[in-house]
Amino acid sequence: MSAETMIAPGFSDPVFQSQAAFRALLAALSEPGTLQQVAGEIAPPEGLATATATALLTLADYETPVWLPEALRNGPAGAWLRFHCAAALVDDPTEAAFAVIDGAADQPKLSAFNLGTDQFPDRSTTVIVQAAALEGGPAFTLAGPGILGSRNIAPQGLRAGFIDELRENGALYPLGVDVLFAHGEGLIGLPRSTQVEEAC
């Protein structure tokens, strides 16, 4: 059996499914802190949540370098992304348009990725943080564009100090990375314009 036949399929209806996923991603980033669902219509490769795999299948292509942890980059997830998206998988976090990190892992920090430049703040990395769950963890409060008043989220399984990284990232606006928390088929967006504080 060839390596290609062992790679799990992507979208069965690429136009319809990618449009639906794009709407969910847009909602996640335009309404920070709201839980959005992607349709569980693909079998993600080992190491990627359904929401993570769906987001990358929708957004990544040969022009968008992707950073994955080494174990994913050299395993089925890396092969799946190269096959379905023709995405270049990079070793250097600062070169990535999109990145996937384990929220519980110590490294890399959010600041390790491309934070954009004064001329091109939109060229920063979008970081997908895979969490143990999207609720039930320590709560933090969000405020900023797309949020009426404030909103609380409580993803589980984030490393110590992660809220400080989010706060520091928000202080860099209009620079900084955009963050998507992913678990199962769920996504929560935190664009760089969102201010984050520990919940009272």
Side-chain angles (χ1 to χ4, degrees):
M1 183 179 291
S2 71
E4 287 189 0
T5 60
M6 296 170 62
I7 293 175
F11 291 142
S12 57
D13 185 344
V15 173
F16 176 78
Q17 290 169 293
S18 63
Q19 287 177 344
F22 186 78
R23 286 193 294 271
L25 289 159
L26 189 62
L29 290 169
S30 61
E31 302 175 56
T34 61
L35 177 60
Q36 305 294 328
Q37 299 284 338
V38 301
E41 295 173 329
I42 62 170
E46 181 182 351
L48 297 184
T50 298
T52 302
T54 300
L56 291 174
L57 205 55
T58 301
L59 299 173
D61 59 26
Y62 69 96
E63 294 183 316
T64 52
V66 176
W67 186 92
L68 299 175
E70 186 176 3
L72 295 185
R73 187 165 63 243
N74 296 333
W80 188 85
L81 283 172
R82 282 189 291 265
F83 180 78
H84 288 295
C85 307
L89 303 183
V90 294
D91 296 333
D92 184 350
T94 65
E95 295 177 357
F98 300 101
V100 177
I101 66 172
D102 176 353
D106 291 337
Q107 298 291 337
K109 306 297 187 190
L110 294 179
S111 59
F113 294 98
N114 185 351
L115 303 175
T117 64
D118 291 336
Q119 293 80 17
F120 301 104
D122 58 315
R123 294 186 181 176
S124 66
T125 306
T126 296
V127 181
I128 302 173
V129 180
Q130 300 202 118
L134 295 179
E135 56 186 7
F140 45 95
T141 300
L142 313 178
I147 302 171
L148 183 61
S150 64
R151 185 174 287 142
N152 282 4
I153 62 171
Q156 278 189 44
L158 302 181
R159 61 181 172 238
F162 197 83
I163 188 171
D164 294 323
E165 294 180 55
L166 291 171
R167 188 184 295 117
E168 291 162 7
N169 182 66
L172 297 172
Y173 184 79
L175 305 182
V177 300
D178 293 324
V179 171
L180 288 161
F181 290 109
H183 177 77
E185 297 171 13
L187 285 168
I188 296 176
L190 264 71
R192 70 196 88 171
S193 57
T194 304
Q195 289 85 57
V196 180
E197 298 293 341
E198 291 184 24
C200 299

